Amino acid sequence: LWIGTNKGVTTFNGKTFFQFSPKEGFPEEEISTIVQDTHGNIWLGLYSDGVLRYDGRKVYRHTGLESNEVRTAFVDKRGDIWFGTFLGGLNRLPVDWFEIYSTESGLTSKDIYTIAQDDQNRMYFGHYGKGVSILDNGKFSRLTKNSGLISNRVSSIIFDSKNNLWFGTFDGITKFGRDGRTSFSKYNLSLIHI
């Protein structure tokens, strides 16, 4: 188990915790997200200092992000790694370089807090204050309060076992059924993540 903290990264093997240090190549700064790619590499998104990759032996810093303030990361079904940033939009790593998506590309906002993918390979990107951008076959569309979201401040997106889409927001949760209609639009909570 990999655990990101405000002082670096820690692992837990089921019995003991191990805190990585600069001696192993890890910075002692806030880790905002951790994902494992299809090759077993661990990717760390730093809250204010970009992206690191750990291959089990060495830590590598990756440059080329539009913003070094990484908020979320996601590995899609093709194995591409997506990084959502604060004011730097989406940064996709298909091979060895970052592909940047911004508002000029059709993204609703350059502030990304959460990423998900459905069984039709559509990508969902939650924004703080601008709802959700959906990337489907190279084109962006959006969901907002006007579409049925309880709030435009989206902090988490998940799919349940029936493939319903749930949006966690700062004002509650919204559920969209498989048919795309809001089947449960208002459940007020002080909720941030689901």
Side-chain angles (χ1 to χ4, degrees), residues 20-98:
F20 285 96
S21 72
K23 186 171 83 173
E24 291 92 18
F26 290 86
E28 291 178 327
E29 55 189 275
E30 186 169 350
I31 307 296
S32 55
T33 186
I34 302 173
V35 294
Q36 184 172 20
D37 69 20
T38 56
H39 303 290
N41 296 303
I42 302 296
W43 292 82
L44 307 170
L46 284 65
Y47 192 78
S48 61
D49 201 18
V51 172
L52 302 175
R53 177 177 56 91
Y54 178 60
D55 67 2
R57 294 180 310 271
K58 189 174 176 187
V59 177
Y60 302 89
R61 181 169 298 279
H62 287 262
T63 59
L65 293 169
E66 190 68 14
S67 164
N68 281 330
E69 297 183 46
V70 179
R71 298 299 181 257
T72 187
F74 183 84
V75 179
D76 69 19
K77 293 174 185 170
R78 287 184 7 183
D80 293 352
I81 306 166
W82 298 77
F83 297 96
T85 65
F86 176 68
L87 301 179
L90 283 168
N91 299 259
R92 183 172 68 114
L93 187 61
V95 185
D96 293 324
W97 67 92
F98 287 104

Side-chain angles (χ1 to χ4, degrees), residues 118 120-125 133-141:
D118 69 15
Q120 303 295 310
N121 293 322
R122 289 180 291 243
M123 299 295 297
Y124 296 80
F125 309 102
S133 292
I134 303 166
L135 180 59
D136 186 12
N137 290 320
K139 295 189 177 164
F140 281 100
S141 60

Side-chain angles (χ1 to χ4, degrees), residues 66-67 72 82-92 99-116 122-136 138-144 157:
E66 190 68 14
S67 164
T72 187
W82 298 77
F83 297 96
T85 65
F86 176 68
L87 301 179
L90 283 168
N91 299 259
R92 183 172 68 114
E99 183 177 335
I100 310 297
Y101 294 86
S102 68
T103 51
E104 291 80 22
S105 310
L107 196 61
T108 304
S109 166
K110 291 169 52 170
D111 199 3
I112 312 292
Y113 275 79
T114 185
I115 303 171
R122 289 180 291 243
M123 299 295 297
Y124 296 80
F125 309 102
H127 306 286
Y128 183 84
K130 297 284 188 173
V132 176
S133 292
I134 303 166
L135 180 59
D136 186 12
K139 295 189 177 164
F140 281 100
S141 60
R142 66 188 279 190
L143 292 173
T144 64
I157 304 171

Side-chain angles (χ1 to χ4, degrees), residues 153-177:
R153 297 182 306 160
V154 179
S155 57
S156 55
I157 304 171
I158 64 165
F159 291 90
D160 65 20
S161 61
K162 296 179 181 170
N163 213 31
N164 293 305
L165 184 56
W166 292 82
F167 299 97
T169 76
F170 285 75
D171 299 317
I173 57 177
T174 301
K175 174 185 164 190
F176 279 81

Side-chain angles (χ1 to χ4, degrees), residues 144-155:
T144 64
K145 276 183 84 167
N146 292 339
S147 313
L149 289 176
I150 196 169
S151 169
N152 283 330
R153 297 182 306 160
V154 179
S155 57

